[in-house]
Every structure is written in structure tokens, then in C-alpha cells.
């Protein structure tokens, strides 16, 4: 899967960096470090994300949906 030039490896590198940083964070829920290969070979959750790239259900999350005024009007939102 590649969209806009982004490859699965790019997402895996983000996960590797985040796990590396969690080792030094005493408030991190998981403080294990994983290699890029570990992350890429973990079970797939939903392409391109593997288990080691996803947050546990206890972590909070947020999202923002941005749309132009024209789009909102066109779709009755």
C-alpha cells in the first residue's frame, strides 16, 4: 500500500522511534524497545499497521476532520 509517496516502512519507522523513546519514559504503559524488523514482522492489524504500531485500548485518542465550507454544504453536513 502506498499513497502520496508514503510506504509502510515509513509508518514502521515511526513506531520504532516511539518504542525507543518509551524506554526512558517512566509514565509509559509499555517500556519495551523493538527493532524496525520486530515492528514490521508483528501481526498485521490493518494494513499498513502492525500490532506494535497500535495503541492499547487504555490509551486515549482524538481526531479532527477538516473540510471546506463548500464540501460541508454539498454533503448537507
Amino acid at each position: 500500500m502506498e499513497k502520496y509517496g508514503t510506504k509502510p516502512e515509513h509508518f514502521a519507522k515511526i513506531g520504532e522511534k516511539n518504542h525507543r523513546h518509551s524506554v526512558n519514559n517512566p509514565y509509559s504503559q509499555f517500556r519495551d524497545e523493538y527493532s524496525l524488523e520486530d515492528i514490521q514482522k508483528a501481526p498485521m492489524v490493518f494494513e499498513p499497521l502492525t500490532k506494535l504500531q497500535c495503541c492499547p485500548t487504555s490509551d486515549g485518542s482524538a481526531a479532527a476532520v477538516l473540510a471546506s465550507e463548500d464540501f460541508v454544504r454539498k454533503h448537507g453536513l
Side-chain angles (χ1 to χ4, degrees):
M1 181 181 112
E2 185 177 329
K3 291 187 180 183
Y4 307 107
T6 304
K7 298 177 182 174
E9 182 179 355
H10 296 138
F11 292 105
K13 286 180 178 182
I14 294 168
E16 184 274 329
K17 183 241 343 150
N18 290 343
H19 281 288
R20 186 169 13 96
H21 289 183
S22 73
V23 172
N24 299 315
N25 181 351
Y27 301 108
S28 237
Q29 184 174 5
F30 299 107
R31 296 179 68 188
D32 299 320
E33 187 171 352
Y34 296 98
S35 70
L36 182 60
E37 184 178 0
D38 292 335
I39 291 168
Q40 290 173 315
K41 290 188 175 186
M44 187 66 64
V45 173
F46 190 83
E47 190 178 359
L49 302 177
T50 66
K51 181 179 177 181
L52 293 176
Q53 293 170 271
C54 297
C55 295
T57 56
S58 59
D59 282 359
S61 65
V65 178
L66 304 177
S68 69
E69 189 172 341
D70 289 340
F71 181 90
V72 172
R73 288 185 181 168
K74 179 179 177 182
H75 293 88
L77 303 173

